[in-house]
């Protein structure tokens, strides 16, 4: 349950940051979720190096942020496409 809340809160924060950049007509609105996705993939990769329970925790948190950034990227793309039409 806690991971779902973390995913939702992170998604909302990323969507808000992307929305702030979209008001300025900046292409940086897509970069914010992508940067978070890259950092979460790095976190997941590092979790294999750490190993044991600590590594598993890092992997779960990395996966949570990866899912949140994908959700934010899809919502941001949808809102941007909707504003064009």
């Amino acid at each position: 349950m806690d991971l779902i809340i973390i995913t939702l809160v992170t998604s909302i924060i990323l969507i808000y940051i992307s929305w702030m950049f979209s008001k300025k007509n900046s292409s940086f609105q897509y970069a914010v979720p992508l940067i978070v996705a890259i950092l979460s993939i790095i976190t997941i990769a590092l979790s294999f190096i750490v190993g044991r329970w600590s590594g598993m925790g890092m992997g779960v948190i990395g996966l949570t942020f990866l899912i949140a950034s994908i959700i934010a990227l899809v919502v941001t793309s949808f809102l941007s496409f909707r504003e064009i039409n």
Side-chain angles (χ1 to χ4, degrees), residues 35-47 62-63 66:
I35 290 170
V36 173
I38 290 170
L39 291 175
S40 66
I41 290 171
I42 291 171
T43 304
I44 293 170
L46 287 175
S47 72
L63 185 65
L66 180 64

Side-chain angles (χ1 to χ4, degrees), residues 3 43 47 51-64:
L3 294 176
T43 304
S47 72
R52 299 193 178 215
W53 291 107
S54 299
M56 188 182 294
M58 283 178 58
V60 169
I61 291 173
L63 185 65
T64 301

Side-chain angles (χ1 to χ4, degrees), residues 15 70-80:
I15 291 168
I70 291 171
I71 291 170
L73 187 62
V74 168
V75 170
T76 302
S77 299
F78 178 73
L79 291 177
S80 176

Side-chain angles (χ1 to χ4, degrees), residues 5-18 68 71-72:
I5 294 171
I6 292 172
T7 302
L8 290 175
V9 170
T10 306
S11 296
I12 291 169
I13 290 170
L14 288 173
I15 291 168
Y16 180 74
I17 292 171
S18 296
I71 291 170

Side-chain angles (χ1 to χ4, degrees), residues 19-36:
W19 179 69
M20 294 300 287
F21 283 114
S22 71
K23 288 187 354 184
K24 298 177 183 178
N25 292 329
S26 174
S27 61
F28 195 66
Q29 66 183 348
Y30 302 113
V32 174
L34 288 175
I35 290 170
V36 173

